[in-house]
């Protein structure tokens, strides 16, 4: 999945250093976006803009973290998370 990275928004919110890391790792970010797509997330770009550093995990780690949330919240976890994105803060616990 090709994710639309709004460079201006990312730079304004997180700074140029984070933007540089993102632009240098678009392959990892796109693989992680694909993982979310497989779990039926609809607003992947919105999630990315809120939590860009989450997408900088290596895909294997990212998938493990998403699967952990899936186990915790059940089959409708993508809907639950999209209604309360703060749940994603649990991902590094």
């Amino acid at each position: 999945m090709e994710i639309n990275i709004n460079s201006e928004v990312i730079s304004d919110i997180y700074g140029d250093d984070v933007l540089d890391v993102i632009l240098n790792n678009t392959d990892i970010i796109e693989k992680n976006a694909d993982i979310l797509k497989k779990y039926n997330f609809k607003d992947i770009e919105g999630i990315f803009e809120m939590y860009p550093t989450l997408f900088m995990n290596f895909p294997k780690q990212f998938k493990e973290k998403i699967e952990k949330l899936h186990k915790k919240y059940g089959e409708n976890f993508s809907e639950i998370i999209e209604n309360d994105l703060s749940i994603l803060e649990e991902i590094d616990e």
Side-chain angles (χ1 to χ4, degrees), residues 11-12 18-19 21 47 52-53 60-63 71-72 82-83 88 93:
S11 179
D12 287 347
V18 171
L19 177 61
V21 171
I47 294 170
T53 57
K60 182 179 177 186
Q61 288 177 306
F62 184 84
K63 185 175 182 180
K71 286 180 184 178
K72 182 174 182 177
E82 287 189 314
N83 286 319
L88 292 171
E93 292 179 348

Side-chain angles (χ1 to χ4, degrees), residues 35-44 78-79 82:
I35 291 167
L36 290 183
K37 186 175 182 178
K38 288 178 185 174
Y39 282 105
N40 298 316
F41 281 85
K42 293 177 179 70
D43 187 17
I44 296 169
S78 61
E79 292 174 31
E82 287 189 314

